[in-house]
Amino acid sequence: MALPSQSARQVSARSPMDMAKRKLAPIAIGAAGIGLVVTASWLIFGRGAGTPESALASANVSSDSPSNALPAKSLPVESTTPSSAGLVGSSAANPSAASDANLNVPHQDPPVIQMGSSTPVPSSGSMAAPNQNLQAHSNVPAAETRAPNTPASTGTGANAPAAAPSTGIGGTNSGAASVARINSRMQTGLDLIAQNKPVEARDTLSSALAAPGLNAADAERIRIELTKLNDRLVFGTEIVPGDPFVSTYVIQSGDSLSRLPKTQNLQIDWRLIQRVNRISSPERIQVGQHIKLIKGPFHVVVHKNDFRMDVYEGNGSQKVFIRSFNVGLGEYNSTPVGLFIVRPGKMVNPDWRNPRTGEKFSKDDPKNPLGERWIPLQGMSDSLKDISGYGIHGTIEPDSIGKQSSMGCVRMLPADVEVVYELLTEGISTVEIRED
């Protein structure tokens, strides 16, 4: 809302004193003329000299600039760096149209490796996956019912967060030291990128991103740089020495992609292996083939005010930023705030029933609002444990991303939710939803 403009002060009509001055003006002029003649005569005959004094008064000009006007709010700009893994702003993310069944039903592994001359090639379309025809009606996502809104912080009271100083950090010596440390961390990370040390650069920049007092512009710059790094470290085929989150594996007889997460203790979905190694079909792996494995685990933080999902890998002090995605949220601020865990029941191509109308949508219905992925969430606190029906899913309404349009769930673009589905693991991955 625009600030009200300031009005200029109006000049009043002429006063009686002004009128009187006008009437006396001719008399004053005549007197002045006589005075000039006398003065000239006096000077001519050398009787004396006088210097007239100036009667000019200086006028004070007041400034009308709104020095106290509120500055325009600068919103973070999401990265548009292209990515084959579903970066914010990217419309193509090497999407997988693979279908899967409820993970609670008996799982049929994809065919074991076939001995032959075929080699893995980058996928040029949807990646076919096993178990496309399995049904899992017993674990259809719960109705997307709305929970009571979690009140946002009022910014007052003893427990309210301290307001950020107008300078971003503060004018104290400790504030200046914090700024210096953040800037030093950022510069060190950028230098490490220039030195082709991506693992070290990711650690340093992730630390800078988590530092309190970081301004929005620098935070966005760091996210962009980290996204570029992770296109190589996570979603690329290269294995960089020293990366604690990856390993090399040689395919053995009897292996299948779907069994590798369990046999190799990976906290990811097997489709991520397929994506990272550019394997066009899970059947196209061979004995002796070297592939890249991503260890995980991955966690998510959703920032409601920015409609942004940030993805991290690792735990505790080892956690590093991976990338951001745009999301849609619940209408009337109905998306609950708090800490959740991914519960069993992840589904590809899910069924759904509208809790308001009772209308049912089959898994192959193009009008199914959940799209092609469903990631169910379970609250981890006492206040959230009874909330059901919430999750992360795709959408058939791409224009709803960046808006409050769902019944409370977190919506994502189809290509983006496919990537997040492959990153998050049931019973391990957490989803924190914040008001900020």
Side-chain angles (χ1 to χ4, degrees):
M1 181 176 68
L3 292 175
S5 61
Q6 298 182 358
S7 300
R9 180 175 296 177
Q10 299 297 322
V11 179
S12 61
R14 293 189 181 95
S15 63
M17 181 62 69
D18 294 330
M19 300 300 297
K21 289 179 179 179
R22 285 176 171 270
K23 292 180 180 181
L24 295 176
I27 299 174
I29 293 174
I34 295 173
L36 288 174
V37 172
V38 174
T39 301
S41 301
W42 187 272
L43 291 173
I44 291 173
F45 292 98
R47 296 300 180 95
T51 305
E53 295 182 357
S54 174
L56 296 177
S58 62
N60 294 325
V61 181
S62 62
S63 172
D64 196 33
S65 60
S67 59
N68 295 326
L70 295 176
K73 182 179 181 181
S74 176
L75 296 178
V77 180
E78 298 294 351
S79 167
T80 55
T81 305
S83 168
S84 62
L87 173 64
V88 164
S90 173
S91 60
N94 193 17
S96 168
S99 296
D100 193 7
N102 188 328
L103 299 182
N104 291 338
V105 300
H107 187 78
Q108 297 181 5
D109 292 324
V112 298
I113 58 174
Q114 302 294 323
M115 299 299 295
S117 58
S118 62
T119 57
V121 294
S123 171
S124 59
S126 61
M127 298 185 290
N131 308 325
Q132 295 188 41
N133 299 321
L134 289 180
Q135 301 287 333
H137 298 286
S138 61
N139 253 342
V140 173
E144 200 178 323
T145 54
R146 185 183 306 144
N149 294 341
T150 302
S153 173
T154 60
T156 59
N159 296 324
S166 58
T167 58
I169 299 282
T172 63
N173 292 335
S174 60
S178 297
V179 173
R181 284 194 296 270
I182 293 173
N183 291 338
S184 176
R185 242 178 253 167
M186 284 181 56
Q187 188 57 53
T188 299
L190 297 175
D191 292 342
L192 289 169
I193 293 176
Q195 297 167 18
N196 194 25
K197 296 180 178 180
V199 175
E200 296 86 345
R202 181 174 62 180
D203 290 342
T204 303
L205 290 177
S206 292
S207 176
L209 184 62
L214 181 67
N215 64 58
D218 286 340
E220 182 58 20
R221 182 186 181 189
I222 292 175
R223 280 194 292 267
I224 291 174
E225 294 298 332
L226 285 169
T227 297
K228 294 176 183 177
L229 288 173
N230 289 309
D231 282 342
R232 174 184 178 186
L233 295 173
V234 178
F235 299 103
T237 58
E238 179 185 7
I239 297 178
V240 178
D243 189 344
F245 296 112
V246 301
S247 62
T248 303
Y249 181 74
V250 181
I251 298 295
Q252 307 295 315
S253 178
D255 277 342
S256 66
L257 291 184
S258 66
R259 286 198 289 262
L260 284 180
K262 182 176 182 180
T263 61
Q264 301 304 308
N265 193 28
L266 308 176
Q267 296 173 341
I268 59 167
D269 183 87
W270 64 267
R271 293 171 187 80
L272 184 62
I273 305 173
Q274 182 180 356
R275 178 187 297 274
V276 167
N277 291 280
R278 312 295 193 264
I279 300 174
S280 59
S281 173
E283 291 87 1
R284 293 176 68 91
I285 55 176
Q286 300 178 0
V287 169
Q289 178 183 346
H290 291 250
I291 62 173
K292 177 180 178 179
L293 300 181
I294 307 296
K295 298 179 181 179
F298 292 87
H299 305 283
V300 159
V301 177
V302 176
H303 300 272
K304 292 180 64 174
N305 285 353
D306 294 331
F307 294 93
R308 188 183 76 245
M309 173 189 288
D310 291 339
V311 180
Y312 297 85
E313 185 175 11
N315 296 312
S317 61
Q318 302 300 314
K319 182 175 71 174
V320 294
F321 175 88
I322 301 301
R323 68 176 61 242
S324 294
F325 297 95
N326 291 322
V327 298
L329 300 171
E331 58 186 357
Y332 311 115
N333 199 32
S334 59
T335 300
V337 175
L339 185 63
F340 300 80
I341 193 167
V342 176
R343 67 175 177 83
K346 284 175 59 181
M347 296 175 65
V348 174
N349 197 12
D351 295 341
W352 185 68
R353 180 183 63 83
N354 189 322
R356 297 176 179 176
T357 66
E359 184 179 5
K360 294 182 180 180
F361 298 87
S362 66
K363 64 179 184 179
D364 295 317
D365 189 342
K367 296 181 180 180
N368 188 332
L370 297 190
E372 296 295 325
R373 296 292 187 274
W374 168 253
I375 306 171
L377 303 179
Q378 178 66 52
M380 298 185 68
S381 65
D382 291 339
S383 61
L384 298 173
K385 65 180 181 181
D386 294 331
I387 295 179
S388 63
Y390 288 96
I392 301 171
H393 61 77
T395 184
I396 59 173
E397 300 175 344
D399 290 342
S400 67
I401 301 302
K403 301 177 182 177
Q404 293 185 355
S405 300
S406 77
M407 295 184 190
C409 290
V410 178
R411 289 183 178 183
M412 303 187 72
L413 292 172
D416 294 348
V417 76
E418 289 178 4
V419 177
V420 173
Y421 185 96
E422 296 166 7
L423 299 176
L424 301 186
T425 307
E426 297 171 340
I428 296 175
S429 296
T430 59
V431 175
E432 183 182 1
I433 302 178
R434 301 178 181 174
E435 285 286 357
D436 63 345

